[in-house]
Amino acid sequence: MRNRNATAYRFLTPYLLIFAIFWVWPIISSFLISFQATRTVPWRFAPGFNWGRLIGDPAFFNALKNTLLILVIQVPVMITLAMVMAVLLNSPLLKARGLYRFAFFAPVVVGEVAYSAVFRLMFSLDFGIINKLLNSIGLPKIDWFSNVTPAMALIMIAVTWRWAGYNAIILLAGMQSIPEDVYEAATLDRVSKLKQFFFITLPLLKPVIVFCAVLSIIGTMQLFTEPFLITERGGPGGGTETLGLLLYRQGFRSLNFGYASAVAYTMAALAIAITLVQLWLTREPK
Amino acid sequence: MATVTLNNVVKRFGNFPVVHGANIDIKDGEFVVFVGPSGCGKSTLLRMIAGLEDITDGEIAIGGKLVNDVEPADRGIAMVFQSYALYPHMSVEQNLSFGLRMTGNPKADTDRRVKRAAEILRISELMERRPKKLSGGQRQRVAIGRAIVREPQVFLFDEPLSNLDAELRVQMRVEISRLHKELGTTMIYVTHDQTEAMTLADRIVVLRGGHVEQIGRPLDLYDDPDNQFVAGFVGSPKMNFIKGRIVGRDAHGVVVELAGEEKTRIVQPLTGAAPEAGSKVIVGVRPEHFGIAGEGDADLTLAIDVVEHLGGTSFVYARTANGEDVVVQRDAAKVPDTPEITVSIRKSYLFDEKGLRLR
């Protein structure tokens, strides 16, 4: 048996090597880099340099505030919307279900640059369809890109559009795994459809909802594409700058790898902490 | 408690007919079992009574009231599902009380009903457990308990024991029988297992291919089947069927010659019109109706394939000269230690070529 294990490990070695070099080492390395002053040549060990700056950096707190704001508003809205979409998709009355399922999933497949360009066009002040629609129902135009609040709303709308369908498909799969006869039993128990949703579907779907929420939290903590491409690098004036964008700006524009690494570790730690709190809050009773 | 009447009930899925005009009258307090092979329409029939399946044509009445367009919840029925269909995220107590709580039933009454059901089914000590912490038999009890708390007019059981092991099945069969005696409520029970049907039912409805083949008390079906299907389906091991030919008539009935056994002729009393001489027929003999040589009209020598000794009784699996498989039931002590066995036919049934009983 030991021999067979040894053979298995020999086969696994090329993968493990690549995994160690390109996965494990960068994680360790960036942790070490976060303790170095990387704006000097050569880099020198200075534990307080980056971490100390982080604590007092208004740009960091601005990015943190924006990221958490998006997280707190966008994730619940998106999961709720995804749930509504999943319920509709699950309806036996729905015709051409496959088509809808594809349509809901399609935004994930569309290229990020293409989708961002379309959103910029749609929300454009002078010739965007959204402002045309607002005008047509008597509302004033909104300058989505020059004011912070509309810009943040735009980011949230874009992220929701892109990921709601994806979450809906996951929730739909969860819903379809609930046996039909449980609902039949509830029907015979005189439980209304609405109560069946709240007292059977939702509780049984809890693990799937938590899964979607955790994925969304991690995704939002790393949010980069939308503020980079739609609101042009976190504009206006850093109003939509997220932690992901700050990391990019520090690491790859200012080449300050030490500080970027510290930001990266903070993002990861926050994602883990929020996820753990959520898992604890939604844990199964013994 | 209530009667259940099915009047020419038809079910089609698209153009595919599943139940062809079923007529069944179930009396108040009766235990009726729908039995038949897979796909015979028995579960569909039950689901139509429950209202979980629409009726294509015909009428269903419960307690004398037409329920074709009545919602499942308002039919006064409770159903026990094959898969138990318990709410996995609720404790046993919550499973039992869920329906009552959701419909605003007074708490005191809900508690009383849940307590009573738990006592009847002896699950009082399991009330705090979740379904996944229960054994198959315990889950089945909870499922039955959930039906009891509704205090329905009619209980519907859809193959409730098929997920249990053999020993537990026998135990739960006895429990369900006891429950019926205790509650006295009308019960309709679906199974493909003829032993369950025979042991539980006041009356059995035998179904095949969406048709009701025969309705009757268990022993009536066993002793007096209407056709070859019912004769073969009811009883274990099943009835033996041996091809034969009418060769004439005597004072006692028609004379039948068994295929490949020119010397073996049996006389079958018939009150109805006898088929013409030369007509092909099927002779049905139950395993226990083979006697020892010389006891019946004629003796038959069979080649023994296998003998199953079950203790007091043995089953001899053998073949006729014509190559037809036959099972003979014998006292263990009377099974010969030879490659052949000679038996007599003490009692037999006659069926025409279409399988209809000739009486």
Side-chain angles (χ1 to χ4, degrees), chain B residues 69-83:
Chain B
D69 299 318
V70 175
E71 286 296 313
D74 301 326
R75 294 189 179 198
I77 52 108
M79 185 154 163
V80 178
F81 293 82
Q82 179 176 358
S83 60

Side-chain angles (χ1 to χ4, degrees), chain A residues 181 184 188-189 195 199, chain B residues 47 74 83 87 89 102 150:
Chain A
D181 53 14
E184 288 180 347
L188 293 177
D189 266 347
K195 282 184 175 169
F199 290 95
Chain B
R47 290 171 61 81
D74 301 326
S83 60
Y87 308 121
H89 56 299
M102 286 295 113
R150 293 206 53 205

